[in-house]
Amino acid sequence: MNETGKINTSLPSVCHENRSAKAFRSKREENRYWILLITLIILGIFASYGLLVYKNPVPIESPSFIPVVRRRLFALTAMIISAVCQSLSTVAFQSITNNRIITPSLLGFEALYSAIHTGTMFFFGASAFISFSGMESFVFQVVVMVLMCLILYGWLLSGKYGNLQLMLLIGIIMGSGLRSLSSFMKRLLEPSEFDILQARLFGSVNNADSEYFPIAIPVVAVTALLLLVYSKKLNVVSLGKDCSTSLGIKHQTSVIYSLVLVSVLMSISTALVGPLTFYGFLVATLSYQAAPTYDHRYVFPMALAIGFLIITGAYFLMYHVFNAQGVVSVIIEMFGGITFLIVFLKKGAL
């Protein structure tokens, strides 16, 4: 109330003008987001171009130049698939669990992958293990991983006492049990068999076979598109069960739907290139810093750009600068693990 006795309404009007429900808090943040996104995409394209043509032993005018580039293109395709699967699945998983530390790896994808290959080597020998490849092997691994997750979701989320925390706990226990079983079988293998097994269990794009692409690419494209289309509802689901239910979203159904898409992406990535435990976590953590918004329509593209740049840039540097082809995934996992420890110690809890 002012001196004349009238109520002053200027302050509330100013407050209403400053409040906004937009994805970004200011136009400056939005401009910064788009500049950073475009820069990351350009850097990723340059890294991809370098992987294809840099230090190509065949002259560009030679007829053999294209076949060499084509072979490199297979590895680049595997990188793109891994980046899409790991980045989208990790961001979506952390959103529905409302926790930015845990990752889909806690559900035991890598542990199951390791158990399948270790069990094949242990029970059937090296010859059967080497022949355990091709389209049938790839489809079998993906189907087993997805079925395991569907059974886990259906049992723990659709029941009367089902909840997400219990599902995560069971997933951690199952993963630990499968890792222990794999370790036990590894100790009983012959040294030569162990070496062959370790080469397969080491996450690398060199594990990817172009024979898998006709199935992997369409499935990943459709699943990623479904997850991107679901971005708006995922914004509401990330608020928690009470808030999303009050806003008209069937929380349990939405969580199961999102987890199914996550399981498909993670299964294909793991079966294609092997375990990449901390890669997705590193990508997701950097994405939250680069895209300061709740809206997944902006977080997902940033995660894709960062994930693609990390994996292509790492392979380019290690292959053509440091000549250390065999340690690319180790470097990525090392930085991802360090980032995980920093975030964990900063938060002080899972």
Side-chain angles (χ1 to χ4, degrees), residues 95-96 98 233-240 244 251 294 296:
S95 295
I96 58 181
N98 198 22
K233 287 190 176 180
L234 200 59
N235 294 338
V236 182
V237 174
S238 63
L239 297 175
S244 58
H251 184 265
Y294 67 90
H296 289 80

Side-chain angles (χ1 to χ4, degrees), residues 90-92 94-95 99-100 281 283-293 296 299 302 306:
T90 304
V91 171
Q94 292 183 346
S95 295
N99 191 309
R100 292 189 174 182
F281 175 82
V283 172
T285 302
L286 295 177
S287 301
Y288 301 140
Q289 302 301 318
T293 176
H296 289 80
V299 178
M302 183 62 72
I306 291 177

Side-chain angles (χ1 to χ4, degrees), residues 14 116 127-128 142 152 166 170 196 201 259 269 319:
V14 171
I116 291 174
S127 58
V142 173
L152 191 65
L166 180 61
I170 297 297
I196 297 173
L201 297 181
L259 287 174
S269 173
Y319 270 64

Side-chain angles (χ1 to χ4, degrees), residues 160-293:
K160 180 179 179 181
Y161 303 103
N163 61 79
L164 194 60
Q165 289 71 29
L166 180 61
M167 185 204 70
L168 294 174
L169 179 60
I170 297 297
I172 294 173
I173 294 173
M174 291 178 60
S176 300
L178 290 173
R179 291 185 187 94
S180 300
L181 180 62
S182 299
S183 299
F184 173 74
M185 290 188 290
K186 288 177 185 177
R187 292 179 182 273
L188 301 178
L189 295 175
E190 297 291 335
S192 58
E193 294 177 338
F194 180 81
D195 291 339
I196 297 173
L197 175 64
Q198 283 299 105
R200 184 73 64 86
L201 297 181
F202 190 74
S204 173
V205 295
N206 296 323
N207 293 336
D209 192 333
S210 59
E211 182 183 354
Y212 306 155
F213 293 162
I215 288 182
I217 293 176
V219 173
V220 169
V222 172
T223 307
L225 182 61
L226 291 175
L227 202 54
L228 291 172
V229 171
Y230 203 67
S231 296
K232 285 188 176 181
K233 287 190 176 180
L234 200 59
N235 294 338
V236 182
V237 174
S238 63
L239 297 175
K241 183 176 181 179
D242 295 336
C243 291
S244 58
T245 303
S246 64
L247 292 173
I249 298 295
K250 295 182 179 179
H251 184 265
Q252 186 171 313
T253 303
S254 300
V255 168
I256 294 177
Y257 175 76
S258 301
L259 287 174
V260 169
L261 298 180
V262 168
S263 66
V264 172
L265 292 176
M266 283 297 298
S267 299
I268 291 179
S269 173
T270 305
L272 186 67
V273 302
L276 294 171
T277 306
F278 290 109
Y279 171 57
F281 175 82
L282 176 62
V283 172
T285 302
L286 295 177
S287 301
Y288 301 140
Q289 302 301 318
T293 176

